[in-house]
Amino acid sequence: MPAELIARLLDSNATWASDVSHAEPTFFPESTKGQSPKMLWIGCADSRVPESVVVACKPGDIFVHRNIANQFHPKDDNVLSVLTYAVEALNIDHIVVVGHTYCGGATHCWNNAGAAPVSPSLASDPLTRWLGPLTILARQQQSGPDATDAEKAIRALIEKNVELQVLNVARTSIVRDAWKKGRDIHVYGWVYELENGRLRDLEVSISRENALPM
Amino acid sequence: MASNLGFMSYVLRAVLFQILVFHLLHTNALSIGRVDRRNEVVLSQDSLDFLLTNNKAWAAEVESKHPGFFNQSAEGQHPKALWLGCSDSRVPESVITNVLPGVIFTQRNIANQVPPNDTNAVAVISYAVEHLEVDRIIVAGHTHCGGVAYCYDHAAVLPKPPPNPLPPLPEPILNAWLGTLYAAAVKLLQGTPLSRDDGLAALTLQNVKMQVANVAGLDVVKHAWKEGRDLRIVGWLYVIETGHLQDLGVCIGPNGTACTTF
């Protein structure tokens, strides 16, 4: 029952806080001094992909944005403000876009690519609008080879999506200006295979050295 | 001689302590972050590999302690709550509540905002409420929020009464994102004078209340209530000083009326 579960989250937190405090008494007081995460994770809202759990990190290690299907829309104030704060206020140099298998957003876009409006990014429904770019990517893929095996195609879509978002991050003025100033920012693309809990580097990284001029 | 012994004893205690910490964090519920065996995570390409190595060990451990967990995960997600929290690295929802993957559907952004016209946040809420049938939405603020402080400190140097229109926050993208929080800070500062600490605490709380109200005003939420669902939006605060999550007694439930969290 929902009410019970929420109470359990608070109880679980209390036990955790107590355990950490006893094991490492300075942990929480030190945390109040500030945060210095070295990585920004742009991932999916999917409950099965909690970044700090899957890479076994402590609070304080990873700055995080999670949304439906790990998108980086170039004009989205939400994700842009996260990137701005990460790069400019926290001096983070490592940005990882993380997609995952069995992504509901990607599956939905694949299955509904034909039925979705012609210009999904202009739809009145927020979820359809949000998934506009991914719908278009799915359509492009459906007109290519490998479109018949849905499972294989959705996996390919998930990976293509990550690659595209990495490119979107690298194209921002936030990142470009930082490169001009000599910052060594790297943008990586990973996939989390939730059927076995393993993260995989897609090797689509962009850094100052290999970024294409704009 | 005595000081050498004293030093050795200190080193021994420090080593034993590290072993204890590692052991405790290792054997308590799997989702507690590990203590880094070096003293600091120094990020470079090598260290991203370090994270991938961490992940490999974590996955093996989960499979060994919960055989079949990942296969089952692949069948679908049934999260019990939607978490709308801050991007702050110190507030990873699944670590601080010590849950396994699959429990909490999550959006994290700067200062846990839910602007009603933000497609990103509203899409997350829509998916959670409509597709995953989540009935509990947690808006989670936290102490020492950089976004809250940014708005507060810029509001604090404005003259009284403040200019109309307000001068923008210096960073244009943050100004666009944090506009309503900034306005709330200005309003707060027009009231009874507060110390900075008290002011930040008040603004943090006010922010959570505002976002809970924003969620309650969304079409997808109102629609769920019309359908008779017991969907509740609650406001929580994560206290970084102690690691504790507090229920703030802010709760909006069916038909937009105040409710209790539990």
Side-chain angles (χ1 to χ4, degrees):
Chain A
M1 289 183 65
E4 207 184 87
L5 185 277
I6 250 195
R8 286 210 307 259
L9 289 178
L10 291 177
D11 288 342
S12 185
N13 160 261
T15 307
W16 171 84
S18 176
D19 286 347
V20 172
S21 243
H22 282 115
E24 212 177 319
T26 58
F27 183 79
F28 292 124
E30 283 296 307
S31 289
T32 63
K33 293 180 183 169
Q35 55 169 333
S36 52
K38 301 294 186 289
M39 172 181 159
L40 165 61
W41 171 292
I42 297 171
C44 188
D46 195 303
S47 58
R48 298 165 292 182
V49 198
E51 77 301 323
S52 300
V53 174
V54 309
V55 290
C57 275
K58 295 179 293 194
D61 287 341
I62 310 177
F63 199 66
V64 176
H65 176 65
R66 287 166 67 185
N67 64 44
I68 303 293
N70 40 280
Q71 299 293 288
F72 191 98
H73 293 179
K75 294 200 172 89
D76 169 38
D77 281 341
N78 189 330
V79 76
L80 283 170
S81 58
V82 174
L83 183 64
T84 300
Y85 197 85
V87 170
E88 295 175 14
L90 298 176
N91 287 308
I92 289 175
D93 283 333
H94 300 267
I95 301 158
V96 190
V97 176
V98 188
H100 70 97
T101 56
Y102 300 94
C103 181
T107 305
H108 178 81
C109 288
W110 179 265
N111 291 335
N112 292 290
V118 168
S119 300
S121 300
L122 300 176
S124 57
D125 162 63
L127 188 54
T128 307
R129 219 164 45 236
W130 181 252
L131 291 174
L134 189 53
T135 301
I136 288 166
L137 197 62
R139 277 183 189 148
Q140 284 169 356
Q141 202 180 342
Q142 282 176 351
S143 59
D146 286 336
T148 45
D149 182 336
E151 199 186 314
K152 192 171 161 190
I154 290 170
R155 281 191 177 233
L157 177 62
I158 284 164
E159 295 191 7
K160 195 75 199 161
N161 177 40
V162 170
E163 197 178 346
L164 176 60
Q165 307 316 317
V166 167
L167 200 61
N168 285 344
V169 173
R171 283 176 168 159
T172 59
S173 55
I174 298 158
V175 170
R176 300 240 151 211
D177 287 351
W179 279 334
K180 276 194 203 111
K181 288 177 191 153
R183 289 267 304 271
D184 209 7
I185 294 181
H186 298 261
V187 191
Y188 310 91
W190 290 356
V191 159
Y192 177 67
E193 294 173 350
L194 62 83
E195 66 273 22
N196 57 39
R198 296 292 302 279
L199 276 164
R200 192 160 51 89
D201 187 345
L202 292 176
E203 295 179 16
V204 294
S205 313
I206 301 180
S207 60
R208 194 180 49 197
E209 288 78 31
N210 69 350
L212 293 174
M214 278 176 70
Chain B
M1 188 66 162
S3 67
N4 269 352
L5 278 176
F7 177 69
M8 294 270 297
S9 160
Y10 168 79
V11 168
L12 184 64
R13 284 201 314 275
V15 168
L16 284 174
F17 182 77
Q18 281 301 321
I19 293 170
L20 171 69
V21 164
F22 180 71
H23 178 71
L24 262 173
L25 292 180
H26 184 82
T27 55
N28 280 343
L30 297 159
S31 53
I32 294 176
R34 290 176 193 277
V35 172
D36 188 346
R37 271 164 284 187
R38 297 177 290 207
N39 279 327
E40 183 192 306
V41 180
V42 177
L43 262 274
S44 64
Q45 180 57 50
D46 294 332
S47 294
L48 286 191
D49 289 342
F50 171 79
L51 294 177
L52 295 174
T53 306
N54 260 17
N55 162 257
K56 188 175 168 185
W58 170 82
E61 198 182 320
V62 171
E63 188 57 38
S64 133
K65 289 200 175 165
H66 303 270
F69 175 79
F70 293 117
N71 271 335
Q72 201 173 10
S73 269
E75 287 171 25
Q77 57 170 329
H78 309 279
K80 302 296 186 286
L82 164 63
W83 176 280
L84 301 169
C86 187
S87 294
D88 195 300
S89 59
R90 297 165 291 184
V91 198
E93 80 303 324
S94 298
V95 172
I96 66 180
T97 54
N98 206 11
V99 295
L100 280 169
V103 178
I104 307 176
F105 198 70
T106 303
Q107 150 119 151
R108 287 168 66 187
N109 64 43
I110 302 296
N112 41 278
Q113 299 294 288
V114 188
N117 60 356
D118 180 56
T119 309
N120 185 334
V122 176
V124 172
I125 296 166
S126 299
Y127 193 85
V129 171
E130 287 177 331
H131 294 255
L132 300 176
E133 299 188 323
V134 168
D135 277 326
R136 290 296 179 270
I137 300 175
I138 301 165
V139 173
H142 70 97
T143 58
H144 300 274
C145 182
V148 168
Y150 185 68
C151 293
Y152 187 87
D153 291 335
H154 281 99
V157 298
L158 293 175
K160 289 184 178 57
N164 187 6
L166 289 174
L169 292 166
E171 208 298 314
I173 294 172
L174 291 177
N175 184 56
W177 182 247
L178 294 173
T180 55
L181 185 57
Y182 178 41
V186 171
K187 192 166 172 204
L188 183 74
L189 281 154
Q190 283 172 29
T192 335
L194 296 166
S195 67
R196 184 174 181 267
D197 280 352
D198 287 348
L200 288 174
L203 185 58
T204 300
L205 174 60
Q206 177 64 12
N207 183 35
V208 171
K209 286 182 179 165
M210 277 165 46
Q211 307 315 322
V212 167
N214 283 347
V215 176
L218 296 175
D219 286 344
V220 61
V221 169
K222 292 196 282 201
H223 184 70
W225 284 330
K226 272 203 202 90
E227 286 184 330
R229 280 175 53 185
D230 183 14
L231 170 62
R232 298 186 206 179
I233 311 148
V234 303
W236 284 3
L237 178 72
Y238 179 64
V239 181
I240 286 186
E241 286 81 343
T242 60
H244 281 109
L245 266 171
Q246 282 174 6
D247 180 78
L248 293 171
V250 173
C251 180
I252 302 183
N255 305 318
T257 55
C259 58
T260 55
T261 301
F262 309 111

